Amino acid sequence: VEGEYGHIEQIASTFVVVRIWDQRRMVLPLTYFIEKPFQNWTRTGSALIGTVFLYVDYSVAVDALREALPKMLENDKKWDGAVHGIQVTDAKEATVELRILVSARNSSDLFDLRCNVREAMIAFLNENHPAALPRNRQVAIAPAVKPDGTPKSAS
């Protein structure tokens, strides 16, 4: 609701109180929920699938990351054991976009799990495939003139 996520704490005849993830309370008139769309993540259950995006060099060993992901998740109590995967979802000028999918029992666990996976993947790349981390490339082109200003001859 309004770019925040939380839990409905109270429904009254004229307002609704939403407890935001950081413990703030958002009080909304009941008409808000009648006039505007909202997402209910817990109507049939609280389990969710989330994404982690990584931007890596074209030299990334995607298969090595796919092999490492389940090992990372096995040790994380936030993972519910249902979903995991890695896809190359885009190729930009300087990086490849990887989308990592993971699942958790609820939105709070999912947020923490996404952070944990992001940190673990960065650490894995640093330790095992540092060349796959994004880097800036510069191409040096020899000047067409000598330092004294005279043209260089073609060889």
Side-chain angles (χ1 to χ4, degrees):
V1 175
E2 294 293 306
E4 302 280 0
Y5 69 92
H7 299 274
I8 300 298
E9 191 171 71
Q10 180 183 1
I11 300 174
S13 60
T14 58
F15 64 90
V16 174
V17 178
V18 181
R19 182 173 39 94
I20 306 300
W21 66 272
D22 63 1
Q23 303 304 316
R24 290 178 293 146
R25 303 307 192 266
M26 184 182 300
V27 181
L28 298 159
L30 194 56
T31 55
Y32 177 93
F33 293 95
I34 295 168
E35 296 170 358
K36 294 186 180 187
F38 59 92
Q39 294 181 26
N40 183 344
W41 291 358
T42 60
R43 183 174 173 115
T44 59
S46 59
L48 294 169
I49 296 173
T51 56
V52 174
F53 288 98
L54 288 181
Y55 298 90
V56 294
D57 188 78
Y58 274 77
S59 67
V60 68
V62 177
D63 287 338
L65 294 176
R66 285 186 179 124
E67 190 176 310
L69 180 60
K71 295 172 187 169
M72 292 172 189
L73 292 170
E74 286 173 6
N75 299 320
D76 196 317
K77 294 177 182 170
K78 305 285 184 179
W79 184 50
D80 67 2
V83 174
H84 70 81
I86 298 179
Q87 297 174 307
V88 178
T89 52
D90 202 355
K92 307 217 186 254
E93 181 180 325
T95 59
V96 174
E97 179 184 79
L98 300 180
R99 182 176 75 161
I100 303 168
L101 294 177
V102 292
S103 59
R105 287 175 287 283
N106 56 55
S107 61
S108 179
D109 282 357
L110 184 61
F111 180 83
D112 292 342
L113 178 63
R114 290 173 57 220
C115 292
N116 295 348
V117 167
R118 188 177 298 109
E119 291 172 14
M121 280 291 173
I122 291 169
F124 177 82
L125 287 169
N126 268 316
E127 292 170 19
N128 300 287
H129 302 278
L133 294 169
R135 56 185 171 221
N136 292 327
R137 291 184 173 89
Q138 295 181 358
V139 177
I141 299 174
V145 293
K146 295 179 185 176
D148 65 2
T150 59
K152 285 189 173 184
S153 59
S155 327

